[in-house]
């Protein structure tokens, strides 16, 4: 007996996503003329009955999100995904399936409804992929251009919050200090931070380090030598940062105000006096999951703003 054609097969032949094919065949959501033509032609060629898709949707057939896991995935992404993303999708009846770079084409060809990219994949990978027409592709690394994902955090709002806080505390010169884990992930914040500092009439300096004690000491000496009295740091744990500051004979907040990018509860438990800028990984994961669920199930996509929180503690407060 000849196998019964599946919705995934129709989508593959039509060169569209499975959710797009389902929308056309069920009439649940109006699609473009080109997408409709492709799907109907593929269904006719395969002998796929349109009411099959409609009935499967009425029974609550699950949608599938594919996740491409790149060779490098920032820790924040891993935290947010593992904590809430998969669980939230599962609760909504959306299946999440993973693949590495070597299996991503097979994942796409299986009939997924959306492709999520975790981390930074090989730059040549995208040019080699055959993506169905209309398949949503979303990156969850730090991206510019307002794309959904952790790049959806408003860098301008973050910069303004940090600069406003430092200014209220009497800072005159802000330093932006990036560790090895931050480059390529948080570097896109640099223009917004500089613009906010300059607009507030404050001095502005930057420095980078490789995470070693010697490199951290060198960065501190460089920034302090330029007159920096407030530092926003990303890409290194708090303890080495403050150890290096002590090694040059200085302390926070007496000599310099310090805010670090860190996920609040962890930083508070390890270094409870350190002010933190948290990207709220779990809450961000929920927002991303809800956006993905709405996309693959044909619902209206909710407004997409990712939360952050500046928690002020002793390291950035002057008596």
């Amino acid at each position: 007996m000849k196998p019964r054609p599946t919705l995934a097969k129709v989508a593959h032949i039509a060169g569209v996503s499975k959710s797009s094919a389902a929308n056309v065949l069920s009439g649940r959501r109006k699609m473009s003329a080109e997408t409709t033509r492709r799907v109907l032609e593929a269904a006719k060629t395969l002998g796929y009955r349109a009411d099959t898709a409609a009935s499967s949707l009425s029974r609550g057939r699950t949608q599938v999100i594919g996740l491409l896991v790149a060779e490098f995935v920032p820790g924040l992404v891993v935290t947010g995904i593992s904590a809430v993303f998969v669980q939230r999708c599962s609760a909504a009846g959306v299946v999440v399936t993973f693949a590495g770079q070597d299996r991503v084409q097979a994942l796409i060809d299986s009939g997924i409804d959306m492709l999520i990219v975790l981390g930074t994949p090989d730059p040549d990978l995208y040019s080699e992929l055959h993506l169905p027409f209309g398949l949503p592709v979303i990156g969850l690394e730090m991206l510019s251009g307002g794309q959904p994902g952790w790049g959806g955090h408003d860098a301008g709002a973050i910069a303004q919050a940090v600069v406003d806080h430092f200014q209220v505390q009497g800072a005159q010169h802000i330093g932006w200090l990036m560790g090895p884990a931050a480059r390529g992930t948080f570097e896109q914040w640099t223009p917004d931070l500089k613009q906010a500092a300059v607009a507030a009439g404050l001095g502005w300096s930057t420095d980078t380090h490789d995470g070693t004690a010697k490199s951290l000491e060198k960065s501190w000496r460089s920034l302090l030598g330029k007159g920096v009295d407030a530092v926003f740091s990303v890409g290194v744990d708090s303890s080495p940062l403050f150890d290096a500051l002590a090694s040059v004979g200085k302390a926070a907040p007496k000599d310099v105000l310090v805010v670090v990018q860190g996920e609040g509860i962890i930083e508070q438990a390890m270094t409870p006096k350190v002010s933190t800028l948290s990207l709220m990984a779990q809450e961000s994961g929920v927002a991303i999951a809800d956006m993905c669920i709405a996309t693959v199930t044909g619902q209206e996509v909710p407004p997409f703003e990712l939360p952050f929180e500046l928690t002020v503690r002793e390291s950035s407060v002057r008596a």
Side-chain angles (χ1 to χ4, degrees), residues 262-285:
E263 294 316 296
I265 191 169
I266 298 174
E267 289 289 347
Q268 187 173 13
M270 297 178 64
T271 49
K273 298 182 179 181
V274 177
S275 293
T276 56
L277 187 289
S278 171
L279 296 182
M280 304 176 71
Q282 291 196 2
E283 292 84 353
S284 293

Side-chain angles (χ1 to χ4, degrees), residues 238 242 252-253 257-260 264 266-276 311-317:
S238 298
F242 286 93
L257 305 174
V258 178
V259 172
V260 302
I266 298 174
E267 289 289 347
Q268 187 173 13
M270 297 178 64
T271 49
K273 298 182 179 181
V274 177
S275 293
T276 56
T311 302
V312 176
R313 303 189 183 97
E314 290 184 29
S315 71
S316 67
V317 178

Side-chain angles (χ1 to χ4, degrees), residues 139-157:
L140 297 189
E141 66 271 33
M142 298 295 290
L143 297 174
S144 59
Q147 293 192 41
W150 266 268
H153 283 96
D154 188 335

Side-chain angles (χ1 to χ4, degrees), residues 236-302:
V236 67
D237 292 337
S238 298
S239 294
L241 181 73
F242 286 93
D243 288 345
L245 180 60
S247 71
V248 298
K250 302 295 182 180
K254 184 170 78 79
D255 301 302
V256 59
L257 305 174
V258 178
V259 172
V260 302
Q261 191 285 312
E263 294 316 296
I265 191 169
I266 298 174
E267 289 289 347
Q268 187 173 13
M270 297 178 64
T271 49
K273 298 182 179 181
V274 177
S275 293
T276 56
L277 187 289
S278 171
L279 296 182
M280 304 176 71
Q282 291 196 2
E283 292 84 353
S284 293
V286 167
I288 294 168
D290 288 348
M291 178 271 295
C292 292
I293 292 166
T295 299
V296 301
T297 57
Q299 304 173 47
E300 183 177 350
V301 177

